[in-house]
Amino acid sequence: MAKLILSMDGLVLKEIVLSKERTTIGRKPHNDIQIDNLAVSGEHAVIVTILADSFLEDLGSTNGTCVNGKTVKKHFLQNNDVIELGKYKLKYISEALPGAAKAADFEKTMILRPGAMRKPPEPQPPATAGAPHGHVDPAPAGASPKSHGDTLVGMAAPAGATPAAAPPAPAAPMRRAMLQLLSGANAGKEMELTKPLTTLGKPGVQVAVITRRPQGFFITHVEGANKPTINGTPIALQAHALNDHDVIELAGVKVEFFYKT
């Protein structure tokens, strides 16, 4: 499990385990990590931890938030990153995947343009017994150039990851979770949620993540002043369970979450 090491002038003050989905940092007492210093805003920053990944977001602080000497608004934390808040430092330690293993097992964040999403397939007869499962396009890592204006951002899953308890020949295929664009020039195009974590939105504007868990799919707000809405209602700070045909709206785009049989 990831943790933070709080220090000042080289002196370690405490260690904080990132056991919560949201860990707030600030001067006010209600924060999970309280730093009583005038250089730190009352509600300075937040760290959102989902599965083995942690995202840092500055909450509009007066003096800003730095990571490794660079001012950031939002940052995907990596092992040994140092968050700087005035004279205080928070070193991020993640033991989920050590060094080379992480580089080998994970691809860098890849951005999917809406145009890279598949068009809805033509209706086909139901598959007969013994026929292969529904076709799934390979992950388009590296297939499309990166751009800050993209609407959908995906994160690659661990290489070769398979469900631990999955039988070699399941009697019935699991339901396929899909996203379909409902607005814009690419309305109608679909993307299958095949990864443990998929990021939606526009960096610097509004970002949320959809995670796949044993209980189903959940969406969590990561970045932006406004939270995403589900069927017109803003989600809470905690992860929100997605139901079939929920309509998600964020960063000016509407997408529908649904299960495909």
Side-chain angles (χ1 to χ4, degrees), residues 98-114:
K102 183 169 183 177
D105 290 348
F106 283 89
E107 296 175 2
K108 293 181 179 180
T109 299
M110 62 182 180
I111 298 177
L112 304 179
R113 293 182 181 277

Side-chain angles (χ1 to χ4, degrees), residues 25-177:
I25 305 169
R27 192 177 68 252
K28 293 182 179 179
H30 67 262
N31 288 284
D32 299 304
I33 302 175
Q34 183 190 12
I35 300 177
D36 191 9
N37 186 279
L38 292 177
V40 180
S41 296
E43 296 175 349
H44 197 103
V46 64
I47 295 175
V48 177
T49 300
I50 301 171
L51 301 177
D53 298 315
S54 295
F55 303 82
L56 170 71
E57 181 187 359
D58 182 87
L59 296 176
S61 63
T62 302
N63 295 314
T65 302
C66 292
V67 177
N68 304 329
K70 182 179 179 181
T71 302
V72 300
K73 290 296 183 182
K74 175 184 174 292
H75 180 77
F76 176 71
L77 289 168
Q78 301 182 60
N79 193 37
N80 291 323
D81 275 352
V82 177
I83 305 167
E84 301 170 40
L85 306 171
K87 294 182 179 180
Y88 291 83
K89 294 184 178 180
L90 287 161
K91 187 173 184 179
Y92 176 76
I93 303 295
S94 175
E95 300 174 352
L97 285 173
K102 183 169 183 177
D105 290 348
F106 283 89
E107 296 175 2
K108 293 181 179 180
T109 299
M110 62 182 180
I111 298 177
L112 304 179
R113 293 182 181 277
M117 300 176 72
R118 297 193 303 274
K119 291 183 179 180
E122 295 296 329
Q124 296 180 1
T128 57
H133 297 304
H135 173 69
V136 178
D137 288 343
S144 55
K146 294 187 176 182
S147 164
H148 290 297
D150 293 331
T151 302
L152 289 160
V153 181
M155 184 169 295
T162 55
M174 292 180 61
R175 290 194 300 174
R176 297 162 54 195

Side-chain angles (χ1 to χ4, degrees), residues 10-30:
L11 177 66
V12 175
L13 302 178
K14 65 189 298 187
E15 291 188 4
I16 305 100
V17 176
L18 296 176
S19 57
K20 298 175 61 178
E21 200 161 72
R22 289 178 63 89
T23 301
T24 57
I25 305 169
R27 192 177 68 252
K28 293 182 179 179
H30 67 262

Side-chain angles (χ1 to χ4, degrees), residues 2 8-9 19 29 42 48 55 100 103 133 136 150 170 180 190 192 203-204 215 221 223 242:
M8 184 182 69
D9 297 330
S19 57
V48 177
F55 303 82
H133 297 304
V136 178
D150 293 331
Q180 183 180 49
E190 299 176 353
E192 184 170 358
Q215 310 96 306
H221 174 65
E223 177 186 8
L242 288 170

